[in-house]
């Protein structure tokens, strides 16, 4: 069994990733806090840079292949904000209800409520190889929060073609369409290829 | 037909990439010089950074999805050199025989002639999504150049388990095992997924 570490401490992200990655034979997924690692400062200016920063730092610390991810919300009417600052949009410490309230305030009266969730997954291997996959979910920002599933901006995000917010969906419903599903689902094909070539276990 | 541009002006790389990508239905590959673009300075410190720099810059210039690639030779006995400086190892302008001569000189008398070719492919989409796939080919540096196929350090590189150098192989033989095959072959699966989701054509 090859071990791969999920490079996140966010229980919501861990649950979603394990659901998306289930059934990939030959990999034993390791997670925080059973397999501990230091926090990594997200100093990048893009989701891609931050996902790679985390996978590389945690991989070098633990010696394991690491799958990390960075994600956020982009609102064209706000010039792409909150973007890489999604988690800390309303300042430190991270406060999700305050972030959601700020987003609604900035969009009050706006005609254009289009938005997209972006996820970037990065895989780092101990031999130095790296892989990056992106995923996007298009939608719009609701007038008020609805639902208590998911996390982050999910209560405000209505996917294109849907009536419910992401937070009103089950984990399975969200994972069928989410940006994270697309990014990590694409990485799944790469993981399967690396398993077959023996590269995931350092072969 | 969705157009995707190969972000390289190197005829050898274009030939190899088109061979690896042939038979992917629904994509019309555009190449230099029919679809012209400006040179991009490779200022990154890693193959990954350079591949992404090129795909992003050429994509923004042309408005097309762009597949770029950066590759090079890493020799542990030389501290990983020539690495990202592979093409310009012996200085400007690029001079392949001089590079090969310098590599042999630096390795003269070395017991450890292990080396690996690394390729990193990057795909950039006009909606801002990016994808990165890596590939590695392990081998060793021969005592003298052999063969006239391929390009770059191919006449000096003997893949693990092979007797011939890469330059003594046919394009098909090289493409069956090469680092570029692995990196671009992995990207092929992502391209197929993006075609299916309509994202490659901006859908």
């Amino acid at each position: 069994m090859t071990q791969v570490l999920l490079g996140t401490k966010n229980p919501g992200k861990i649950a979603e990733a394990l659901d998306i990655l289930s059934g990939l034979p030959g990999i034993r997924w390791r997670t925080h806090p059973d397999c501990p690692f230091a926090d990594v400062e997200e100093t990048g200016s893009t989701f891609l840079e931050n996902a790679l920063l985390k996978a590389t730092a945690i991989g070098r610390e633990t010696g394991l292949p690491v799958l990390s991810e960075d994600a956020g919300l982009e609102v064209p009417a706000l010039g792409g904000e909150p973007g890489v600052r999604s988690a800390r949009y309303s300042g430190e410490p991270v406060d999700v209800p305050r972030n959601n309230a700020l987003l609604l305030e900035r969009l009050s009266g706006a005609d254009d409520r289009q938005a997209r969730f972006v996820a970037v997954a990065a895989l780092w291997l101990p031999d130095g190889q790296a892989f990056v996959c992106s995923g996007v979910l298009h939608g719009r920002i609701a007038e008020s929060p609805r639902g208590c599933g998911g996390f982050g901006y999910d209560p405000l995000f209505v996917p294109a073609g849907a009536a419910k917010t992401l937070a009103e969906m089950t984990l399975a419903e969200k994972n069928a369409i989410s940006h994270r599903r697309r990014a990590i689902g694409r990485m799944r094909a790469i993981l399967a290829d690396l398993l077959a070539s023996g590269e995931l276990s350092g072969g």
Side-chain angles (χ1 to χ4, degrees), chain A residues 29-154:
Chain A
W29 290 98
R30 305 296 306 272
T31 55
H32 178 86
D34 295 332
C35 183
F37 49 83
D39 283 323
V40 180
E41 217 185 331
E42 301 184 11
T43 54
S45 60
T46 62
F47 301 123
L48 191 154
E49 285 174 22
N50 282 334
L52 261 180
L53 267 177
K54 287 187 277 189
T56 306
I58 297 167
R60 288 184 177 150
E61 178 187 352
T62 61
L64 291 173
V66 174
L67 179 61
S68 278
E69 179 253 344
D70 198 34
L73 182 70
E74 293 179 340
V75 181
L78 301 177
E81 284 201 344
V84 288
R85 295 169 55 237
S86 289
R88 289 162 182 79
Y89 190 37
S90 61
E92 301 269 5
V94 173
D95 184 326
V96 170
R98 199 178 59 201
N99 286 339
N100 286 2
L102 179 62
L103 180 63
L104 284 180
E105 185 193 316
R106 299 237 163 123
L107 276 179
S108 77
D111 288 333
D112 179 5
R113 302 182 76 85
Q114 279 187 81
R116 64 176 199 172
F117 266 124
V118 177
V120 179
L123 174 69
W124 180 90
L125 303 189
D127 72 358
Q129 291 190 81
F131 302 84
V132 173
C133 291
S134 300
V136 166
L137 176 63
H138 295 278
R140 61 179 180 79
I141 303 301
E143 301 285 341
S144 57
R146 300 199 311 264
C148 50
F151 54 90
Y153 297 94
D154 286 358

Side-chain angles (χ1 to χ4, degrees), chain A residues 170-187:
Chain A
T170 64
L171 179 62
E173 286 173 330
K174 178 181 175 184
N175 271 356
I177 59 168
S178 79
H179 51 305
R180 187 165 292 110
R181 199 283 149 43
R182 288 194 152 170
I184 296 182
R186 285 162 179 159
M187 194 63 92

Side-chain angles (χ1 to χ4, degrees), chain A residues 6 177 191:
Chain A
L6 288 183
I177 59 168
L191 284 161

